[in-house]
Amino acid sequence: MGENNMSSIAPHPVVHVALLPSAGMGHLSPFLRLASLLLHQHCHVTLITPQLTVSKAEEDLLSRFLSAFPQVNQLHFHLPPSDSTISTDPFFLQFASIRSSSHLLTPLLSSLTPPLSSFIYDMTLISPLLPIAESLGVPHYILFTSSATMFSFFSYFPTLAKSESFPGKLDFVEIPGVSVSSIPRSSIPPPLLVPNSLFGKLFMEDSPKLKKLHGVLVNTFEGIEKLSLEALNGGKVVKGLPPVYGVGPFVPCEFEKVVKRGETISEWLDEQPSGSVVYVSFGSRTAMGREQLREVGDGLVKSGWRFLWVVKDKIVDRAEEEGLDGVLGFELVERMVKEKKGLVVKEWVDQSEILGHKAVGGFVSHCGWNSVVEAAWFGVKILGWPLHGDQKINAEVVAKGGWGVWKEGWDWEGERLVKGEEIGEAIREVMNDESLVMKATQVKKDARKAISVGGGCEVALQKLMEVWKKNV
């Protein structure tokens, strides 16, 4: 075709996607990784950022993302001051504020240029955002920032809540078809078992509206949740659900890397033998009590394995003031120094850099879903210690997959003090279990297959792009 003919062809219309995350790194991080995926599909991306962020980690990550992708349109969503007394958790207050202020988004979204082709919002915002999304007249979706198995539970919850045994006589929840088909009462998020609880009301309000969505995006892949994805899309869990797209694994991005001064964690890891280090982190929001933290430290020393431990003392990082001596106690810190086998840090870390290092052979994790998928991506076996919310259900996904274990008897955060002797013994068991290594290696291969040409992630994205191009 000649040059003159080429110049007369109009450029392809641009697919324009708006993204709205909720509060906390567990919600922001997967949204930014999804945004990166969409940018590589040549989408125009508008990122709606509720102001102000709760944690410094969120603020810093947003800054790095926007520096890496200056083409992203940032839409500031200024939230009115909250005077709510429903919770003392600042992340929950932010989430509640986003829900109650969502009507302010209508003029912002309707005036965007080019017009939107699609709108993807957080799983916690269904009820308030549904009428807004419908008024825009574009396909709209949620990003469910947990496992497909947890989404099965979420979608099935209204059916469960109508049963005569709920909540008082309920021993197990049987969800048809999913990989964790039988969920014991002890694994259900505790607030959902309290009659008329805030979270129970949210589940009851939001879940029935799933059928009005055009789809649900989940950071997962067939290698770890094949049965759950098939059950959801086959109508086994709830009939009439929209398509559930396994768009994972979300791969760690360059913009997430944190530049540190002095001796870096990676330099310390470089000095350790391959597979010899246990990485210990309980996520961006979990702040253990000091007595339990000191038992964790005691357990790490008693395990006999090298360890890298990220200590978190406060829910919000801006409130972290006291040093390790104050949090863990001088005696424990002295023991750790004397053993010369561990590195303990009290700061935000680049988790993907750690999990991807050859020295790391195991991960003691709360089983927040982002951490589970990152461990899968790097093929690192997990010792699960679920503490809140969806984490026991996620831990069971790992255990069923054969690349990790979790201790059911350790209960939810604060229900009992898990002693150092138990922790040390559990670490030894996991680190010495070669069958977990073999399965984790297979999961790593499956994760890479999912994002390759013809893999589940790539196929799901292409299906979505086909729908969105019709709305350009």
Side-chain angles (χ1 to χ4, degrees):
M1 190 179 282
E3 187 175 333
N4 290 338
N5 287 337
M6 285 292 289
S7 63
S8 66
I9 296 174
H12 285 295
V14 176
V15 169
H16 183 185
V17 184
L19 303 173
L20 174 57
S22 189
M25 286 292 280
H27 295 261
L28 178 63
S29 177
F31 263 91
L32 297 186
R33 289 179 180 179
L34 174 61
S36 175
L37 268 179
L38 297 177
L39 288 163
H40 285 102
Q41 294 285 328
H42 308 293
C43 294
H44 180 61
V45 172
T46 289
L47 180 66
I48 305 162
T49 54
Q51 304 290 316
L52 297 166
T53 57
V54 177
S55 66
K56 190 170 187 307
E58 290 169 277
E59 182 184 311
D60 291 347
L61 185 64
L62 265 174
S63 175
R64 291 197 300 273
F65 172 79
L66 293 166
S67 295
F69 299 107
Q71 70 269 40
V72 168
N73 174 37
Q74 183 186 17
L75 192 62
H76 294 280
F77 181 23
H78 294 282
L79 301 174
S82 173
D83 57 356
S84 176
T85 57
I86 56 174
S87 174
T88 56
D89 183 336
F91 292 101
F92 185 83
L93 291 175
Q94 176 89 331
F95 141 74
S97 184
I98 296 170
R99 277 181 74 102
S100 63
S101 307
S102 56
H103 61 282
L104 301 173
L105 284 168
T106 304
L108 295 174
L109 292 171
S110 58
S111 60
L112 286 173
T113 53
L116 283 178
S117 316
S118 174
F119 182 23
I120 304 171
Y121 45 95
D122 193 87
M123 61 189 252
T124 60
L125 305 174
I126 296 172
S127 288
L129 279 179
L130 191 61
I132 294 166
E134 288 178 336
S135 71
L136 293 170
V138 298
H140 52 94
Y141 308 76
I142 57 165
L143 174 58
F144 195 82
T145 55
S146 184
S147 58
T149 305
M150 184 62 199
F151 177 69
S152 303
F153 179 82
F154 175 66
S155 58
Y156 190 72
F157 185 75
T159 305
L160 171 67
K162 290 173 187 172
S163 69
E164 290 182 5
S165 61
F166 184 85
K169 299 176 183 177
L170 184 74
D171 294 321
F172 287 88
V173 179
E174 303 285 349
I175 302 178
V178 301
S179 53
V180 183
S181 58
S182 183
I183 300 170
R185 180 187 182 91
S186 58
S187 290
I188 296 171
L192 297 179
L193 295 170
V194 179
N196 300 314
S197 72
L198 193 59
F199 271 104
K201 286 177 181 176
L202 287 175
F203 267 51
M204 287 299 291
E205 183 184 0
D206 287 1
S207 180
K209 294 172 182 167
L210 289 169
K211 295 176 183 180
K212 295 184 178 181
L213 301 172
H214 290 82
V216 176
L217 280 63
V218 188
N219 176 22
T220 193
F221 57 102
E222 286 193 353
I224 54 175
E225 290 199 286
K226 187 174 190 289
L227 288 177
S228 294
L229 288 169
E230 288 177 349
L232 285 162
N233 284 315
K236 292 181 181 177
V237 179
V238 176
K239 292 192 184 305
L241 283 179
V244 178
Y245 298 93
V247 290
F250 289 165
V251 180
C253 302
E254 279 295 312
F255 69 82
E256 297 175 66
K257 292 186 175 176
V258 182
V259 178
K260 296 288 183 185
R261 294 176 184 169
E263 185 190 27
T264 64
I265 289 171
S266 61
E267 286 172 338
W268 181 83
L269 287 170
D270 287 343
E271 297 169 359
Q272 314 308 316
S274 180
S276 67
V277 175
V278 183
Y279 169 52
V280 185
S281 174
F282 298 104
S284 58
R285 284 189 56 181
T286 302
M288 276 187 169
R290 293 195 176 181
E291 190 178 8
Q292 185 62 79
L293 279 173
R294 291 171 186 183
E295 292 295 338
V296 172
D298 180 51
L300 287 168
V301 173
K302 285 177 176 173
S303 76
W305 285 81
R306 292 171 170 81
F307 59 87
L308 168 55
W309 181 21
V310 181
V311 172
K312 188 167 176 59
D313 185 41
K314 303 289 183 187
I315 291 175
V316 181
D317 53 10
R318 298 185 202 273
E320 296 274 5
E321 294 173 350
E322 205 163 352
L324 285 171
D325 283 357
V327 175
L328 300 180
F330 181 74
E331 183 183 332
L332 176 58
V333 172
E334 277 283 287
R335 277 175 65 202
M336 290 178 168
V337 171
K338 188 177 178 182
E339 290 283 335
K340 295 182 180 177
K341 279 193 170 184
L343 177 64
V344 187
V345 296
K346 195 168 176 280
E347 62 195 33
W348 182 258
V349 299
D350 181 353
Q351 181 161 284
S352 59
E353 178 187 43
I354 294 166
L355 289 171
H357 199 287
K358 63 179 177 59
V360 173
F363 183 13
V364 179
S365 171
H366 63 316
C367 291
W369 190 245
N370 294 327
S371 290
V372 169
V373 176
E374 284 179 15
W377 174 252
F378 291 109
V380 178
K381 59 187 174 182
I382 290 177
L383 168 57
W385 188 348
L387 299 165
H388 305 285
D390 60 348
Q391 293 164 11
K392 286 189 178 182
I393 291 174
N394 296 341
E396 189 59 26
V397 172
V398 174
K400 287 276 187 186
W403 54 289
V405 299
W406 68 287
K407 296 294 180 181
E408 298 179 41
W410 288 3
D411 296 336
W412 296 107
E413 160 68 7
E415 287 187 352
R416 66 169 282 229
L417 184 69
V418 183
K419 303 296 286 184
E421 195 69 52
E422 296 175 76
I423 298 166
E425 184 180 343
I427 290 170
R428 284 193 298 274
E429 285 176 9
V430 167
M431 293 301 284
N432 288 319
D433 191 337
E434 284 302 311
S435 68
L436 296 178
V437 177
M438 291 172 63
K439 191 59 184 176
T441 302
Q442 182 58 50
V443 166
K444 178 179 178 178
K445 290 177 184 174
D446 292 340
R448 278 149 175 76
K449 180 182 175 184
I451 65 160
S452 64
V453 176
C457 172
E458 198 246 6
V459 169
L461 281 174
Q462 291 309 316
K463 285 181 181 176
L464 289 164
M465 290 294 292
E466 285 170 17
V467 174
W468 299 343
K469 284 174 182 176
K470 294 174 185 174
N471 286 273
V472 172

